Amino acid sequence: MPILQRGIPQTLARISFRIPNRANTSRHLFTKTVPAKRTPIRTGLYTTAFILSAGVFAVYYFDARSALHRYLLTPILRNVLDAEAGHKVAVKTLRSGLLAPKDPLGDDARLKCKLWDEVISNPVGLAAGFDKDGEAIDGLFGLGFSWVEIGSVTPKPQPGNPRPRMFRLEEDNAVINRYGFPSQGHSSVLARIRSRIPDFPPKLDRAALRDGAMLAVNLGKNKESPADSVDDFVTGVRAFGPYADVLVVNVSSPNTPGLRGLQNRETLEVLLKSVTKARDELEPPPLTSRKPKIVLKVAPDLEESQLIDMADVIRNSRIDGVIVSNTTIQRPKNLISINKSETGGLSGPPVKPFSLKALQTLRAHLPASIPLIGCGGIVTGKDALEYARAGASMVQVYTGFGYDGVGTCRRIKDQLVDELAKDDKTWQQVVDDAVSRSSWKEPKPKEPSVQQLIAEAEELKTMLDKLAKSMV
């Protein structure tokens, strides 16, 4: 055989692979080739191509709306890191002004809403729990949220519950957490909030430092504090009152023992009286001319009778609003994720029916002057609109933001505009209709009956007779 006669080395030396190149020449696999001479023109072309590619990528990356975040970066983060580690990376990224994507668009006029006679640019806010220590406030505002709520913040630093304490239920688009208020404490978070205030702040009269937006601080309670004590909340009001537009009193987390007991009628009366008194005693804030609003955050797991009792307490207090709701300890039967049996609070779409029901109950037992903020399972514009039709003045997202990434707020707002356009209405019109129709109204005094008028007349006659006799 010819190949065997010539030998393998000689055969291999003669084998060549033709590889087309720009000069349409052949390149041999086992022969030395001379690299093409690099000219200044070639180098310039390569450099220009690299700069243009990097520029296009940067434009695409820094636009929060890009599919890159929703379909590539966020899923990678979810699959490479556990839930808590991924959460921390997201916060650190948004904390960095250099790496944080932004929503480049303004808000549609249909989305304007009113809260305590303040105009807000859109009704989509971020719930507490994402930015626990106030690290990424401006990065979150940059994503288009009109309300950024940091915390929960406890007076003293505490580590929270042992890890693992956050679990994804990916098949259900849900999360279970038992964080237990990990917090750097008042001093650290307060210093961070102060550091973002410029030497010459704009005259916007908002702690958010931007028009059409609000900064809220969610106040928590230390684990070792007495269960029935309200002191931690009072301390929080005094610490953060001068630097927040809203203070949220969180008595609804299921992960701090005894905390939900503060929702009972007697303890709730003491709590609300104490925090509003502390707010009223604040010195005029250095940042705004208004003292902060006080908002109560409630659980979705209360019975209807408990919610009615709570509404009665709220009506007779001086708080300004209610967030409905927090995570739930209930486990719907349709959950399919293997993590569904983990202990903690469930959030995401499965909590939506519970939150909506609680909101509707409270709306029916609170006057229109006390706004409700809906929270629980909001993933789309339709979800947000459902809350508005139930009487919520605004909504908050959390779990959907974790799953869909930095473009979540913009997508919800765009979908919401489309839904509102179908009915040719604005968000505020939908809310006003629902609140007017569903809110509690002061009962009218009953008109006296004929029998009652006769009895009163007879009683008056008897008194006059006695008076006449005494004067004789």
Side-chain angles (χ1 to χ4, degrees):
M1 298 177 67
I3 292 180
L4 292 176
Q5 291 172 357
R6 287 194 294 269
I8 294 176
Q10 292 179 352
T11 303
L12 290 176
R14 294 176 181 275
I15 295 175
S16 66
F17 294 85
R18 296 183 66 82
I19 303 174
N21 61 18
R22 292 178 184 173
N24 196 26
T25 62
S26 63
R27 182 177 298 170
H28 293 278
L29 184 64
F30 293 100
T31 59
K32 186 175 180 180
T33 59
V34 178
K37 186 177 181 181
R38 179 165 293 181
T39 65
I41 294 177
R42 184 188 295 259
T43 301
L45 288 173
Y46 285 154
T47 303
T48 302
F50 175 78
I51 293 173
L52 288 174
S53 299
V56 169
F57 177 81
V59 170
Y60 200 54
Y61 170 83
F62 286 110
D63 190 334
R65 302 168 298 167
S66 68
L68 173 73
H69 297 289
R70 188 180 190 185
Y71 298 113
L72 182 62
L73 298 182
T74 301
I76 287 174
L77 201 63
R78 257 198 333 263
N79 286 285
V80 171
L81 302 174
D82 65 58
E84 184 167 351
H87 180 182
K88 288 183 177 179
V89 168
V91 172
K92 299 300 182 186
T93 300
L94 290 170
R95 177 182 181 178
S96 168
L98 295 176
L99 296 177
K102 290 179 173 57
D103 178 6
L105 302 180
D107 290 329
D108 191 281
R110 288 184 187 272
L111 298 179
K112 283 186 180 179
C113 60
K114 285 187 178 180
L115 202 62
W116 307 300
D117 293 326
E118 298 283 341
V119 177
I120 309 298
S121 65
N122 75 77
V124 185
L126 180 68
F130 180 81
D131 188 6
K132 298 178 184 300
D133 296 306
E135 299 177 77
I137 295 172
D138 293 301
L140 290 164
F141 276 128
L143 296 180
F145 292 108
S146 64
W147 168 303
V148 170
E149 186 174 327
I150 66 170
S152 293
V153 188
T154 58
K156 299 176 184 176
Q158 65 178 27
N161 293 324
R163 297 181 67 172
R165 52 193 180 179
M166 185 177 183
F167 308 89
R168 298 188 188 103
L169 284 67
E170 297 211 22
E171 299 88 344
D172 306 294
N173 290 318
V175 166
I176 290 175
N177 90 81
R178 51 173 180 263
Y179 269 118
F181 287 170
S183 175
Q184 294 178 10
H186 283 182
S187 296
S188 178
V189 178
L190 190 58
R192 194 170 290 122
I193 290 177
R194 285 172 172 166
S195 70
R196 64 182 284 271
I197 302 173
D199 293 333
F200 302 98
K203 296 181 179 179
L204 296 176
D205 214 24
R206 296 267 176 92
L209 299 181
R210 58 192 68 214
D211 197 18
M214 288 192 175
L215 173 63
V217 179
N218 187 293
L219 305 177
K221 183 174 181 175
N222 280 118
K223 189 173 182 179
E224 72 272 12
S225 298
D228 59 349
S229 173
V230 302
D231 292 346
D232 284 2
F233 296 106
V234 171
T235 301
V237 171
R238 291 170 177 163
F240 292 99
Y243 303 97
D245 297 305
V246 184
L247 298 174
V248 181
V249 179
N250 185 357
V251 293
S252 52
S253 170
N255 302 313
T256 298
L259 183 68
R260 287 193 170 189
L262 291 172
Q263 295 176 116
N264 296 331
R265 186 182 186 103
E266 294 77 13
T267 49
L268 185 63
E269 286 175 343
V270 174
L271 172 64
L272 299 187
K273 182 178 180 180
S274 300
V275 293
T276 51
K277 182 174 183 290
R279 184 266 311 271
D280 295 342
E281 291 174 349
L282 290 171
E283 294 294 327
L287 193 57
T288 72
S289 62
R290 294 183 295 271
K291 295 180 180 180
K293 302 296 183 181
I294 301 287
V295 171
L296 183 69
K297 185 166 185 174
V298 303
D301 304 317
L302 298 171
E303 298 290 337
E304 183 176 5
S305 59
Q306 292 176 296
L307 288 168
I308 292 172
D309 269 354
M310 180 178 286
D312 187 52
V313 173
I314 293 170
R315 285 199 309 268
N316 292 289
S317 73
R318 288 181 293 107
I319 69 166
D320 304 288
V322 184
I323 295 176
V324 191
S325 64
N326 210 318
T327 58
T328 180
I329 56 175
Q330 301 178 70
R331 296 293 183 267
K333 293 181 180 179
N334 60 350
L335 293 178
I336 58 177
S337 172
I338 193 173
N339 288 327
K340 65 183 180 181
S341 59
E342 291 289 346
T343 301
L346 172 70
S347 62
V351 79
K352 181 182 165 188
F354 308 124
S355 294
L356 267 173
K357 184 178 179 182
L359 188 140
Q360 289 165 342
T361 299
L362 282 175
R363 185 70 284 161
H365 292 88
L366 288 174
S369 59
I370 299 179
L372 302 183
I373 297 169
C375 182
I378 297 169
V379 179
T380 66
K382 285 186 177 180
D383 293 329
L385 196 55
E386 196 171 350
Y387 274 90
R389 288 170 176 157
S393 297
M394 284 188 68
V395 296
Q396 293 182 333
V397 300
Y398 174 70
T399 303
F401 177 52
Y403 275 104
D404 280 351
V406 292
T408 300
C409 183
R410 169 49 57 190
R411 279 190 293 277
I412 292 176
K413 290 190 293 186
D414 287 346
Q415 293 165 3
L416 192 49
V417 169
D418 292 340
E419 293 296 322
L420 290 167
K422 291 177 183 178
D423 297 326
D424 193 24
K425 287 191 174 183
T426 66
W427 171 272
Q428 193 59 48
Q429 287 173 335
V430 174
V431 172
D432 288 344
D433 289 345
V435 170
S436 175
R437 181 180 65 254
S438 306
S439 294
W440 175 88
K441 297 173 180 62
E442 186 78 41
K444 293 181 180 179
K446 294 182 179 179
E447 295 183 1
S449 63
V450 175
Q451 291 82 1
Q452 185 178 354
L453 290 172
I454 293 172
E456 289 177 355
E458 290 178 349
E459 184 179 355
L460 181 59
K461 181 177 180 298
T462 302
M463 291 174 62
L464 291 173
D465 289 342
K466 288 180 179 180
L467 180 61
K469 288 180 182 179
S470 65
M471 294 176 64
V472 174

